[in-house]
Amino acid sequence: MRSVARGRDRCVADATAVVGGPTFAAGFPPAWSVSRATRTAMAYDRVMSMLMLLLSVTAPQDPGHTDPTVRGEPAASAEPLRFTRRLLAVSPNEGCAIGDVDRDGRLDITAGPLWFRGPDCEARPLREVAEIDGGAYLANNGEHLVDVDGDGWLDVVSGTFFREELRWFRNPGGTALQRGLRWVGADLGKIGVANEITTVCDLDGDGVPEFLVNCWNDHAAVVVFRLRREEGAAPRLEPFVLGSRGHGHGIGWCDLDGDGDEDLVVKTCWYERPVGDPFAAPWRQHRFDDLGRASCPMVAYDFDGDGRDELVVGRAHGYGLDRLLPTMRDGELQLARQPIDASFSQAHALLLVDLLGDGRPGIVTGKRVRAHEGKDPGADDPTCLYYFRYDPAAARFVRHTIAAGDGVGTGLQIRSGDLDGDGALDLVVSGKTGTWLLLQRR
């Protein structure tokens, strides 16, 4: 039986890796190789955690006001993180990725129509991205760097909201890349429509990524698409129906049943990972109280050190960031909601990352700018980007401000990597105010 940490390693990645198969640099927040003993050592008195849960006041789902005293704004850190901000490009593109595109040993950035060569982040053309709804959106609901054809160069895989096909764009490599030539696109396969975000996972741990598209339709199937390559044939997708009915806005991986394997969580239900081959049969479905339009992704970690993962979920189209604690009710697993911060809206994208480098990960999230073009609660509130760290002594999350009111928000993805080579993790966000590079200064 795999440990929780190893299980999640196979479903998340945020830095380039070669694991017995194609190189890929994409997906959910980074995994944490933390043993059960270490996680337990981080524990604070469990009674205090339960007391805080009982005393917490549930935040309203989509309130129409912005008073932080009503919202339960968390304590702010006395030692804020320091970042310098750089606007790389202005466009409504909302997807981005980090990886070594030109194989020079330095991390680069891709963001829709452009890629930015590190470390100076010179802008270079990559591909055409269609406009949707008069330019309110670009047709990019998540992009990932994957060596699709096995030639040693990272390619871009990108989904969109309404188009059936998942597409990939071949990295031309070498001289063509240096000359700024565009990457040629092709279809990998059909993935359906009503696509909220395109994600990457590796369920069987073979180093070959799979693609999982979160669908905003509550009654849609959950389908994992396996990347297949045969000599002399174009790369293609092979579908596996993980669940035939039960989906909805929001997706994440969490060991809900405590068996050491990651389970899949969506808006309306969760799917229990089977023992052995994850592709042998559909996963068992369990219903719980509807989560509402949840973030993509929801992130899991044992913050309080009690040996069980908990979920942190943003309210993607309303106000609130919440902690969900697994609990039993009438013999069924449910998720008890504990508010973290209800002072900002549209926490659509989350990233689990250790920005301080001390082995204690936190959560980066913020306001997705114009998520529904002004139709969401708080759409006109100032932009923000925060880092939340759990304080075990106080049994609560503390908020660090990365950016506030200066145009830096999020799109559909938040990426991290050491872009300037100084040993500290930096951030990249791409949304409707542009693509931003945030360099951490210690």
Side-chain angles (χ1 to χ4, degrees), residues 358-371:
D358 62 0
R360 291 175 49 216
I363 300 158
V364 177
T365 188
K367 177 187 181 69
R368 181 186 171 194
V369 180
R370 301 195 304 275

Side-chain angles (χ1 to χ4, degrees), residues 169-190:
F169 297 84
R170 185 177 183 274
N171 185 337
T175 302
L177 196 64
Q178 294 175 9
R179 291 178 177 176
L181 301 186
R182 294 191 186 276
W183 303 19
V184 176
D187 293 342
L188 268 177
K190 292 187 176 182

Side-chain angles (χ1 to χ4, degrees), residues 35-350:
S35 68
R36 289 285 192 189
T38 302
R39 297 167 85 170
T40 302
M42 293 166 59
Y44 182 70
D45 192 336
R46 177 64 174 163
V47 175
M48 179 62 74
S49 296
M50 293 304 298
L51 179 61
M52 292 299 294
L53 174 59
L54 292 172
L55 294 176
S56 65
V57 179
T58 302
Q61 173 63 36
D62 283 330
H65 49 75
T66 58
D67 183 355
T69 62
V70 177
R71 295 190 178 289
E73 187 171 318
S77 170
E79 299 178 359
L81 294 169
R82 295 190 304 118
F83 285 85
T84 59
R85 309 173 189 87
R86 179 179 171 188
L87 179 61
L88 299 182
V90 176
S91 85
N93 170 68
E94 296 188 277
C96 58
I98 295 174
D100 186 4
V101 167
D102 56 359
R103 300 199 312 194
D104 67 349
R106 297 174 175 176
L107 291 177
D108 311 301
I109 301 165
T110 66
L114 300 170
W115 72 278
F116 303 90
R117 185 173 185 268
D120 297 326
C121 291
E122 307 158 343
R124 303 192 177 196
L126 196 156
R127 59 188 174 111
E128 296 286 345
V129 185
E131 294 182 353
I132 300 175
D133 195 16
Y137 304 86
L138 290 192
N140 183 15
N141 75 345
E143 68 181 60
H144 306 277
L145 285 169
V146 178
D147 182 8
V148 174
D149 55 1
D151 67 354
W153 296 88
L154 289 174
D155 312 301
V156 168
V157 177
S158 174
T160 186
F161 303 98
F162 303 108
R163 181 187 169 109
E164 282 192 313
E165 292 81 16
L166 185 69
R167 290 180 62 78
W168 72 289
F169 297 84
R170 185 177 183 274
N171 185 337
T175 302
L177 196 64
Q178 294 175 9
R179 291 178 177 176
L181 301 186
R182 294 191 186 276
W183 303 19
V184 176
D187 293 342
L188 268 177
K190 292 187 176 182
I191 57 173
V193 295
N195 305 318
E196 183 64 28
I197 192 169
T198 303
T199 70
V200 166
C201 57
D202 184 15
L203 294 180
D204 55 4
D206 65 353
V208 181
E210 296 96 37
F211 302 95
L212 175 55
V213 180
N214 180 223
C215 179
W216 62 68
N217 183 341
D218 289 358
H219 307 294
V222 175
V223 184
V224 176
F225 297 90
R226 306 175 74 181
L227 178 61
R228 296 302 195 197
R229 292 195 317 236
E230 290 89 20
E231 188 173 351
R236 62 181 179 85
L237 298 179
E238 178 181 282
F240 165 73
V241 179
L242 187 147
S244 61
R245 183 179 174 86
H247 210 148
H249 192 308
I251 190 168
W253 299 93
C254 181
D255 179 21
L256 286 180
D257 54 8
D259 67 353
D261 287 321
E262 74 281 2
D263 307 302
L264 176 65
V265 184
V266 292
K267 173 179 179 282
T268 58
C269 60
W270 65 282
Y271 292 91
E272 180 182 348
R273 178 179 174 128
V275 175
D277 184 358
F279 302 114
W283 295 18
R284 182 183 176 188
Q285 183 192 76
H286 302 266
R287 290 284 178 176
F288 51 32
D289 294 341
D290 193 299
L291 298 180
R293 290 182 292 181
S295 56
C296 308
M298 303 175 256
V299 299
Y301 188 74
D302 180 13
F303 290 100
D304 59 12
D306 69 348
R308 290 289 300 273
D309 279 356
E310 57 229 47
L311 277 172
V312 173
V313 180
R315 303 191 188 196
H317 297 286
Y319 282 94
L321 179 71
D322 302 317
R323 180 185 180 199
L324 304 184
L325 303 177
T327 185
M328 297 301 293
R329 190 176 70 209
D330 298 328
E332 295 291 335
L333 187 145
Q334 296 292 338
L335 296 172
R337 191 177 292 266
Q338 179 181 0
I340 296 173
D341 188 347
S343 67
F344 68 100
S345 73
Q346 300 166 100
H348 202 291
L350 277 64

